Amino acid sequence: MAHTYQRTIHFADTDAAGVVYFANYLSFCHEAYEETLEAAGIDLKTFFSDNGIVIPVAKSTADYLRPLVCGDKIAITVKPSAVSPDAYTIDYEITRLAGKTAPKKLAAVVQTRHVCIRSDNRARTALPPALAAWVKAQ
Amino acid sequence: MAHTYQRTIHFADTDAAGVVYFANYLSFCHEAYEETLEAAGIDLKTFFSDNGIVIPVAKSTADYLRPLVCGDKIAITVKPSAVSPDAYTIDYEITRLAGKTAPKKLAAVVQTRHVCIRSDNRARTALPPALAAWVKAQ
Amino acid sequence: MAHTYQRTIHFADTDAAGVVYFANYLSFCHEAYEETLEAAGIDLKTFFSDNGIVIPVAKSTADYLRPLVCGDKIAITVKPSAVSPDAYTIDYEITRLAGKTAPKKLAAVVQTRHVCIRSDNRARTALPPALAAWVKAQ
Amino acid sequence: MAHTYQRTIHFADTDAAGVVYFANYLSFCHEAYEETLEAAGIDLKTFFSDNGIVIPVAKSTADYLRPLVCGDKIAITVKPSAVSPDAYTIDYEITRLAGKTAPKKLAAVVQTRHVCIRSDNRARTALPPALAAWVKAQ
């Protein structure tokens, strides 16, 4: 079952074309990822700092389907999948929720790929057990 | 009565010192301002685009009292005050809410000053009535 | 011939893992795109505002190959290709330049896809001639 | 003698009002600060990570005098002043350089205050000698 994260589009997210700057869609997905990890009991402060093992984003793809404006409400679904003992992907769908004048619409489809490595020599290493369990449970 | 806005610190808000980048405290305050306007029925999309009248931030001051880390929960109070028919200030307090290991603490005190101007010639002009009412009502 | 853009990694680009936040690699590429357009005599202020025609990023893919830290110098190559009369892709390579202790290395490979549409009805429309010439000339 | 830093306004710096988002003026100043430190031989990667001593921004004030748009060229002067053995301020002036249609104008005046503390107990501690020398030399 995918986790769903909701948030509002802020003025700082937009650019001079009047809509959300494209790279910020990826940040919204990362926020959703963080909330999902936290809901699973994983401590974010430790998880995202360098403590011997880091799990950087190795790849991202994004299809930007619709513009988003300041004040829009969005919902993001987060669906991880195991790739190997040291890697996983996450699929996200960003939906603009129905507003006063606009119907609900799919706004973007994003995928990120994450690889677990040792920070000293950047060699691949198995996911920590709590994270491997989280990938499997979603 | 001051409005209160809550949000979580995201990974994207932090910098290589492991804590929130100083300029992002100002963005958090602007988010709180947006939510307060929206709660008063003001349409954000229109309000923050250029439609003849713009109300830019003319001045900001910020005292950064405590670091914030990814996963911290914060609450921001928003308190506007009229300065003149064409200007107002907003006082914000950013409080880090109590976490598993950390007590509740004041994290920053911020003030912004906003001036209403015509976008064609940048001459000062009176606040739109809905906004003047919002400044008075808080 | 690809255009090359150089810039330094700023503290604001980094996150609590001590390296550049993944979504910011895409912003660096957009900066390179902007500089290339400007070098071709295209006015950025007009180009990126909504004046009837907009050319949003419709898709992005990024392979993040190496971390970047505050102070690193990078070079980005920008190579556009026509896809159709109303669309083009841009291929970017981000290279970390040699530093005091680190050799030159490819840090990321990014592609963006851009589609020209009318902002009133979002129907596809042909690229403006100056932009079509830019795509062909690079 | 004040150091001067030049940069171009990027699309990502702007918001839906068509101009630079207010908090980003502070980031531009921090970039200028970084470049000045680097020009003095201070290693940025080490300086801005937590290695026992951190020098966070404790206070900022900013007067936003003029809007900036995508493609504008700006110059920022950086002028530090010692406050005490463990603190200094930096005064910045952001000037929009003359463009095709616009004359040179002062765009913002910013001040930041920096305090040197131990990261373990957050007690104030004297500036490292290289930094104290930098403050004095500018």
Side-chain angles (χ1 to χ4, degrees):
Chain A
M1 193 204 68
H3 187 91
T4 300
Y5 166 73
Q6 296 208 12
R7 71 103 102 187
T8 299
I9 300 302
H10 307 306
F11 190 48
D13 301 324
T14 63
D15 61 34
V19 298
V20 170
Y21 182 68
F22 79 112
N24 291 341
Y25 285 74
L26 296 179
S27 302
F28 301 164
C29 291
H30 204 278
E31 293 176 15
Y33 169 44
E34 293 163 30
E35 191 183 75
T36 311
L37 288 172
E38 195 180 36
I42 292 174
D43 182 67
L44 296 183
K45 186 187 172 180
T46 313
F47 185 76
F48 285 113
S49 56
D50 177 353
N51 41 52
I53 284 178
V54 290
I55 309 166
V57 179
K59 189 178 173 72
S60 67
T61 62
D63 287 277
Y64 310 94
L65 304 177
R66 269 189 183 72
L68 295 167
V69 300
C70 186
D72 276 350
K73 312 295 180 197
I74 57 172
I76 306 180
T77 54
V78 178
K79 220 180 143 355
S81 306
V83 171
S84 68
D86 53 23
Y88 55 98
T89 56
I90 306 180
D91 287 284
Y92 307 88
E93 287 190 353
I94 303 180
T95 302
R96 188 191 66 204
L97 300 178
K100 278 173 222 155
T101 57
K104 183 174 169 176
K105 287 277 188 184
L106 185 64
V109 176
V110 175
Q111 189 184 69
T112 53
R113 183 187 174 93
H114 304 250
V115 177
C116 187
I117 58 176
R118 291 176 47 174
S119 52
D120 56 357
N121 61 7
R122 302 195 74 77
R124 284 176 169 239
T125 187
L127 297 178
L131 189 64
W134 172 82
V135 171
K136 201 174 287 186
Q138 303 298 312
Chain B
M1 194 205 65
H3 188 91
T4 299
Y5 167 73
Q6 295 208 12
R7 71 103 103 187
T8 300
I9 301 302
H10 307 306
F11 191 48
D13 302 322
T14 63
D15 61 33
V19 298
V20 169
Y21 183 67
F22 79 111
N24 290 341
Y25 285 75
L26 296 179
S27 301
F28 301 163
C29 291
H30 204 278
E31 292 176 15
Y33 169 44
E34 292 163 31
E35 192 185 73
T36 312
L37 288 173
E38 194 179 37
I42 293 174
D43 182 66
L44 296 183
K45 187 186 172 181
T46 313
F47 185 76
F48 286 113
S49 56
D50 177 352
N51 42 51
I53 284 179
V54 291
I55 309 167
V57 180
K59 190 178 172 71
S60 68
T61 62
D63 286 277
Y64 310 94
L65 305 176
R66 267 187 186 74
L68 295 167
V69 300
C70 185
D72 277 350
K73 311 296 180 196
I74 58 173
I76 306 181
T77 54
V78 178
K79 219 180 145 351
S81 305
V83 170
S84 69
D86 54 22
Y88 54 97
T89 56
I90 307 180
D91 287 282
Y92 308 88
E93 287 191 354
I94 303 180
T95 302
R96 188 193 64 204
L97 300 177
K100 278 174 222 155
T101 57
K104 184 176 169 176
K105 288 276 188 185
L106 185 64
V109 176
V110 174
Q111 190 185 68
T112 52
R113 183 186 172 94
H114 304 250
V115 177
C116 187
I117 58 176
R118 290 176 46 172
S119 53
D120 55 357
N121 62 6
R122 302 195 73 77
R124 284 175 169 240
T125 188
L127 297 177
L131 188 63
W134 172 83
V135 170
K136 201 173 285 185
Q138 302 298 310
Chain C
M1 190 206 68
H3 187 91
T4 299
Y5 167 73
Q6 295 209 13
R7 69 105 101 186
T8 300
I9 301 302
H10 308 307
F11 190 47
D13 301 323
T14 62
D15 61 34
V19 299
V20 169
Y21 183 68
F22 79 111
N24 291 341
Y25 285 74
L26 295 179
S27 302
F28 301 164
C29 291
H30 204 278
E31 292 176 15
Y33 170 43
E34 293 163 30
E35 193 185 73
T36 311
L37 289 172
E38 194 179 37
I42 293 174
D43 181 67
L44 295 184
K45 186 187 172 179
T46 312
F47 185 77
F48 286 112
S49 55
D50 176 353
N51 41 51
I53 284 179
V54 291
I55 309 165
V57 180
K59 190 177 172 70
S60 68
T61 62
D63 286 277
Y64 309 95
L65 304 177
R66 268 188 186 71
L68 296 167
V69 300
C70 187
D72 276 351
K73 312 295 180 197
I74 58 172
I76 306 182
T77 54
V78 178
K79 218 179 146 354
S81 306
V83 170
S84 68
D86 53 24
Y88 54 98
T89 56
I90 306 179
D91 287 283
Y92 308 89
E93 287 190 354
I94 304 179
T95 302
R96 188 192 64 203
L97 300 178
K100 278 173 223 155
T101 57
K104 183 175 170 176
K105 288 276 189 186
L106 185 63
V109 176
V110 174
Q111 190 186 66
T112 52
R113 183 188 173 93
H114 304 250
V115 178
C116 187
I117 58 176
R118 291 176 46 173
S119 52
D120 55 357
N121 62 6
R122 303 195 72 76
R124 285 177 169 238
T125 187
L127 296 178
L131 188 64
W134 171 82
V135 170
K136 202 174 286 186
Q138 303 297 312
Chain D
M1 192 205 68
H3 187 91
T4 299
Y5 167 72
Q6 295 208 12
R7 71 103 106 185
T8 299
I9 301 301
H10 307 307
F11 190 47
D13 301 323
T14 62
D15 60 35
V19 298
V20 169
Y21 183 68
F22 79 112
N24 291 341
Y25 284 74
L26 296 179
S27 302
F28 300 164
C29 291
H30 204 279
E31 292 176 15
Y33 169 44
E34 293 163 31
E35 191 184 73
T36 312
L37 288 173
E38 195 179 38
I42 293 175
D43 181 67
L44 295 183
K45 187 187 171 179
T46 312
F47 185 76
F48 286 112
S49 56
D50 177 354
N51 42 51
I53 284 178
V54 290
I55 309 167
V57 180
K59 190 177 173 71
S60 67
T61 62
D63 286 277
Y64 310 94
L65 305 176
R66 268 189 185 73
L68 296 167
V69 300
C70 187
D72 277 350
K73 312 295 181 198
I74 58 173
I76 306 181
T77 54
V78 178
K79 219 179 144 353
S81 306
V83 170
S84 69
D86 53 23
Y88 54 98
T89 56
I90 306 179
D91 287 282
Y92 308 88
E93 287 190 353
I94 303 179
T95 301
R96 189 193 63 204
L97 300 177
K100 277 173 225 154
T101 59
K104 183 176 171 177
K105 288 276 188 185
L106 184 64
V109 176
V110 175
Q111 190 185 66
T112 52
R113 182 186 173 94
H114 304 250
V115 177
C116 187
I117 58 177
R118 290 176 45 174
S119 53
D120 55 357
N121 62 6
R122 303 195 73 77
R124 284 176 169 239
T125 188
L127 297 177
L131 188 63
W134 172 81
V135 171
K136 202 174 285 185
Q138 302 299 311

